[in-house]
Amino acid sequence: MAKFTRLSSEERRAQLIDVGLACLSEGGILHFTVDRICQRAGVSRGLVLHHFGSMAEMLAAVYARIYRDTVPDLGLLPPEARLEALLDGIFAPTAFSRDTLAAWLTLWGQVAVTPALQAEHQRQFRVYQAQVRDAIAAMAEARGRKVEADRLASSLVCLIDGLCLQRCMDPDVISAEAAKAACRDLLAPHLG
Amino acid sequence: MAKFTRLSSEERRAQLIDVGLACLSEGGILHFTVDRICQRAGVSRGLVLHHFGSMAEMLAAVYARIYRDTVPDLGLLPPEARLEALLDGIFAPTAFSRDTLAAWLTLWGQVAVTPALQAEHQRQFRVYQAQVRDAIAAMAEARGRKVEADRLASSLVCLIDGLCLQRCMDPDVISAEAAKAACRDLLAPHLG
DNA sequence: CCTCTTACTGTACGATCATTCAACAAGGAT
DNA sequence: ATCCTTGTTGAATGATCGTACAGTAAGAGG
């Protein structure tokens, strides 16, 4: 019998990212270590840096992963449905759970002090911000309203982040429905 | 000449908290270490744990400090001025700087995974949330409006947090004035 | 000037950290 | 069945981590 099984580079990276995410959720950045991740994944110490080069690079990969898992793709939806789909994705049970949010908070806390992570953040955030802006602009047009889509999108993004923050630090304070309602309330005066 | 100078417990704690805050700003939680803090403060290794007992306790003390430095005391102000004073305090140049915000983000990232910090957060946040609610309620009453002060305060707190988050991760995106405007825009439909 | 409290020093300790690297072997290719 | 690519192992390294603790001395009070 084989002492270990070989996976393709993509498969192994995906598995390690999963484990890394779990470590972040449970213990923050201080638990995001080579030893812990490898032990939990059932592989040897050398494998993480073989696939990612450094822990900072792996952290950036985890950031890209959680971004894709959380922010839905809105491209194919009809204009009036995009905004609601965006909120449904972000405030879905898995994305808006304490575990996922704890990972988000940890990553945010590292963005400003980890160059590799900061670069990944800017890459991901640009796409996200554009999606939110377009969803708002599409809705405004569908309803025949003139809005400052940029400013409104910026406010909505901030509100969403803050809701995630508060939800993570005290889950009882804000439910997913209350979070969606707060977002709609922010937009209502401008979109009707 | 003396080999070292003795300070009162309060003075030394204040100094070490200052240094700890600086370490958090510059390198996140991974730079919040006994060695770094002591070296930077010009004291020996044993002093931190002499005054704080553990690094987790010291982190909680730093959290309490940054909270008090950021959130202004609104008690004595006239009802209509409280909301604006709150925003002025939170978005003041020092509080809304990259350094201070980086420390905030780091601390937030640790709240969910550090019991001592979580306890301190709940203590501080309760007071903060109540201040925001009262400022909103006072303004609503002054203007003769009926509002759901709780929900509105919750939304405002989330928006403020999100603004801090975005500002820290990319200072060019949001100015202090834009942040204040976003907050006023959230409240305007309810408070006029 | 003496005493006493306690702020303070500095070493020691065991654990854990990220990274490097040479050797091994799994499994598709030929 | 053999070769070869490369995913994988595991030990070694040197730095750094938090905490414990026995001893030192500063400086206020008597």
Side-chain angles (χ1 to χ4, degrees):
Chain A
M1 63 175 285
K3 298 171 86 174
F4 58 87
T5 52
R6 291 165 83 99
L7 298 183
S8 71
S9 193
E10 291 79 21
E11 285 174 317
R12 185 64 79 188
R13 283 174 60 98
Q15 179 208 3
L16 292 175
I17 287 172
D18 274 341
V19 174
L21 208 41
C23 291
L24 282 186
S25 296
E26 293 167 16
I29 195 67
L30 297 177
H31 278 34
F32 189 81
T33 66
V34 176
D35 281 323
R36 197 178 297 263
I37 291 168
C38 289
Q39 185 174 357
R40 200 170 175 132
V43 300
S44 72
R45 291 179 46 70
L47 203 51
V48 164
L49 291 118
H50 173 71
H51 284 290
F52 294 99
S54 74
M55 288 306 281
E57 291 295 334
M58 181 176 177
L59 199 62
V62 170
Y63 192 74
R65 162 67 166 278
I66 196 174
Y67 232 113
R68 287 179 219 278
D69 284 353
T70 299
V71 180
D73 189 11
L74 307 175
L76 300 174
L77 293 170
E80 322 87 44
R82 289 179 196 168
L83 213 39
E84 205 55 33
L86 178 74
L87 299 183
D88 283 342
I90 291 172
F91 299 121
T94 52
F96 206 53
S97 67
R98 198 219 72 104
D99 283 352
T100 302
L101 295 176
W104 271 113
L105 260 64
T106 298
L107 288 161
W108 285 336
Q110 287 297 116
V111 166
V113 296
T114 310
L117 195 55
Q118 190 159 30
E120 187 62 39
H121 163 72
Q122 281 172 3
R123 212 177 353 258
Q124 298 293 333
F125 183 69
R126 193 178 313 121
V127 177
Y128 170 52
Q129 172 97 1
Q131 273 199 335
V132 175
R133 186 187 346 99
D134 291 348
I136 289 175
M139 178 66 93
E141 187 164 350
R143 299 197 174 174
R145 297 251 192 166
K146 284 276 179 208
V147 298
E148 292 182 89
D150 271 318
R151 282 180 38 133
L152 205 49
S154 185
S155 289
L156 180 59
V157 165
C158 288
L159 180 58
I160 289 170
D161 286 354
L163 287 162
C164 292
L165 205 59
Q166 294 299 336
R167 165 82 167 185
C168 179
M169 293 198 285
D170 191 349
D172 300 329
V173 170
I174 297 166
S175 70
E177 273 315 310
K180 280 192 216 179
C183 292
R184 292 194 201 100
D185 195 53
L186 176 81
L187 298 172
H190 303 87
L191 295 177
Chain B
M1 63 175 284
K3 298 171 86 173
F4 58 90
T5 52
R6 290 165 83 99
L7 298 183
S8 72
S9 193
E10 291 80 21
E11 285 173 316
R12 185 65 79 189
R13 283 174 62 97
Q15 179 207 2
L16 292 175
I17 287 172
D18 274 340
V19 174
L21 209 40
C23 291
L24 282 185
S25 297
E26 293 168 16
I29 194 66
L30 298 177
H31 277 34
F32 190 79
T33 67
V34 176
D35 282 321
R36 196 177 298 263
I37 291 168
C38 289
Q39 185 174 355
R40 201 172 174 129
V43 299
S44 73
R45 289 179 46 69
L47 202 51
V48 164
L49 290 114
H50 172 73
H51 284 291
F52 294 99
S54 74
M55 287 307 280
E57 290 296 333
M58 181 176 177
L59 199 62
V62 170
Y63 192 74
R65 161 66 165 277
I66 196 174
Y67 232 114
R68 287 179 218 277
D69 283 353
T70 299
V71 180
D73 189 11
L74 307 174
L76 300 175
L77 294 170
E80 323 86 46
R82 288 180 198 167
L83 213 39
E84 204 56 32
L86 179 73
L87 298 183
D88 283 342
I90 291 173
F91 299 122
T94 52
F96 206 52
S97 67
R98 199 221 71 106
D99 283 352
T100 302
L101 295 176
W104 271 113
L105 260 65
T106 298
L107 288 162
W108 284 337
Q110 287 297 115
V111 166
V113 297
T114 309
L117 195 56
Q118 191 161 30
E120 188 61 39
H121 163 72
Q122 281 170 6
R123 211 178 353 258
Q124 299 293 335
F125 183 70
R126 192 178 314 121
V127 177
Y128 171 51
Q129 172 99 0
Q131 274 200 335
V132 176
R133 186 189 344 101
D134 291 348
I136 289 176
M139 179 66 92
E141 188 165 346
R143 299 197 174 174
R145 298 249 192 168
K146 284 277 181 207
V147 298
E148 293 181 88
D150 271 318
R151 281 181 36 136
L152 205 48
S154 185
S155 289
L156 180 59
V157 165
C158 289
L159 180 59
I160 289 169
D161 287 354
L163 288 162
C164 292
L165 206 58
Q166 294 298 336
R167 164 83 168 185
C168 179
M169 293 198 285
D170 191 349
D172 300 329
V173 170
I174 297 166
S175 70
E177 273 315 310
K180 279 193 216 179
C183 291
R184 292 194 200 100
D185 194 54
L186 175 82
L187 299 172
H190 303 86
L191 296 177

